[in-house]
Amino acid sequence: MASQGDASSSGSVTPPYRHDVFLSFRGKDTRSGFTYHLYKALEREKIKTFFDDRTLKRGENISTALLQAIEVSRISVVICSENYGSSGWCLDELVRILECQKSKQQVVIPVFYKVDPAHVRHQIGSFGEALAGLKYNEDKVPKWRAALTQVANLSGWTYVNGYESDFIEKIVKEIKELAGLHDQKKKEDVLGFNHQSNKDSTGLDHQKKNRNGADLYNQAVLEVQNFLHGADVNVNRSSLEVENNLNGAELYNRAFLEVQRKINGADLYNQAYLDVLNKINGGG
């Protein structure tokens, strides 16, 4: 823990954590409702949470302050609501969060609030329409698309209907388990994400183990999206039209299913191989 506060001229040392949780959300969708209730529930559990309109100081530069808050948070909760993808600021925030997941081992928990995770993953429906409306940021759109795909591939929570208070309670419980806040005597060690602690195995370690595969997958998605985006610009068609191109979608889905079949086939082959080895060894 002491090393986190050490200065570094190169800037490579992780800064000291100031927040347990950073909440990323679209204000017009959930600020005074779901997100605020989640914030209050976390605060009641003594989980220090960054919630922009209650944490920022008057006169502070909002963009700089929020980006810095992401970097000094242990966990980011990304609330993907209907209009999240229509905000270039939210999407920039998401890109930075995923960068911190990779460089600072930050835990990222997506919450799909009244949206289909598949719409986020493939940028269709309201998310496809939202990105089509952000074409003035053409240089950023490929990164935004890759970030949405990546966050939708993480293990998270989906809310459609029912009692929001019960749903929020489940999220808070998971965050407490990830941070080890149920055991105050070990709070500092666990919040520092001591990799010797088994408390991290349900969240941080799981994301680290799968990060390499996720990076390869997201790189491939980004390359495909860059290609489609370039084709879109060349023929003056909107990104929404490209997303809705049936032939392209069919080819994408067939390729995805083919990869899944090969993985499943490899698993069966490996199991059969192990069975044979076991019989040989047993027979010897």
Side-chain angles (χ1 to χ4, degrees), residues 124-255:
I124 57 178
S126 65
F127 280 80
E129 295 169 4
L131 285 172
L134 295 175
K135 287 191 67 177
Y136 60 87
N137 271 319
E138 289 183 354
D139 58 326
K140 290 186 175 182
V141 169
K143 282 188 176 181
W144 290 343
R145 288 184 177 278
L148 288 168
T149 298
Q150 186 175 343
V151 77
N153 283 333
L154 296 176
S155 176
W157 295 88
T158 301
Y159 175 83
V160 179
N161 53 42
Y163 293 108
E164 285 191 4
S165 58
D166 293 342
F167 181 68
I168 287 172
E169 185 177 335
K170 294 176 182 177
I171 296 172
V172 173
K173 181 179 179 182
E174 178 183 1
I175 290 173
K176 287 178 64 179
E177 290 175 351
L178 285 173
L181 290 177
H182 60 284
D183 187 345
Q184 290 298 323
K185 291 185 296 183
K186 297 181 180 178
K187 178 179 178 180
E188 288 300 322
D189 286 339
V190 179
L191 287 180
F193 289 117
N194 181 345
H195 297 293
Q196 300 301 317
S197 171
N198 291 330
K199 302 297 183 183
D200 294 341
S201 61
T202 58
L204 180 62
D205 288 350
H206 174 75
Q207 290 191 20
K208 286 179 64 181
K209 288 176 183 175
N210 290 280
R211 194 164 60 217
N212 291 335
D215 287 345
L216 292 174
Y217 173 81
N218 289 325
Q219 182 60 39
V221 170
L222 182 58
E223 291 176 0
V224 171
Q225 288 173 341
N226 283 338
F227 174 78
L228 292 176
H229 180 66
D232 179 40
V233 172
N234 290 336
V235 298
N236 266 335
R237 293 167 60 190
S238 71
S239 52
L240 179 59
E241 291 173 331
V242 172
E243 286 289 344
N244 290 333
N245 185 291
L246 182 59
N247 291 332
E250 292 284 352
L251 290 172
Y252 175 86
N253 289 331
R254 283 203 298 271

Side-chain angles (χ1 to χ4, degrees), residues 21 31 44 88 149 256 270:
V21 175
R31 182 190 302 277
R44 282 193 295 271
T149 298
F256 183 77
N270 289 332

Side-chain angles (χ1 to χ4, degrees), residues 76-133:
S76 278
V77 176
V78 180
I79 302 170
C80 297
S81 55
E82 182 179 5
N83 295 294
Y84 188 89
S86 67
S87 167
W89 171 248
C90 285
L91 295 171
D92 281 343
E93 204 172 81
L94 177 61
V95 169
R96 180 61 65 89
I97 286 170
L98 293 172
E99 288 173 351
C100 288
Q101 180 199 32
K102 184 174 182 179
S103 64
K104 304 177 185 299
Q105 292 75 53
Q106 185 181 98
V107 173
V108 180
I109 302 174
V111 176
F112 304 100
Y113 182 77
K114 297 183 179 180
V115 298
D116 186 339
H119 289 186
V120 181
R121 182 177 298 110
H122 302 297
Q123 296 93 61
I124 57 178
S126 65
F127 280 80
E129 295 169 4
L131 285 172

Side-chain angles (χ1 to χ4, degrees), residues 250-264:
E250 292 284 352
L251 290 172
Y252 175 86
N253 289 331
R254 283 203 298 271
F256 183 77
L257 290 174
E258 181 63 24
V259 171
Q260 286 186 321
R261 282 196 293 270
K262 289 181 178 179
I263 292 173
N264 292 336

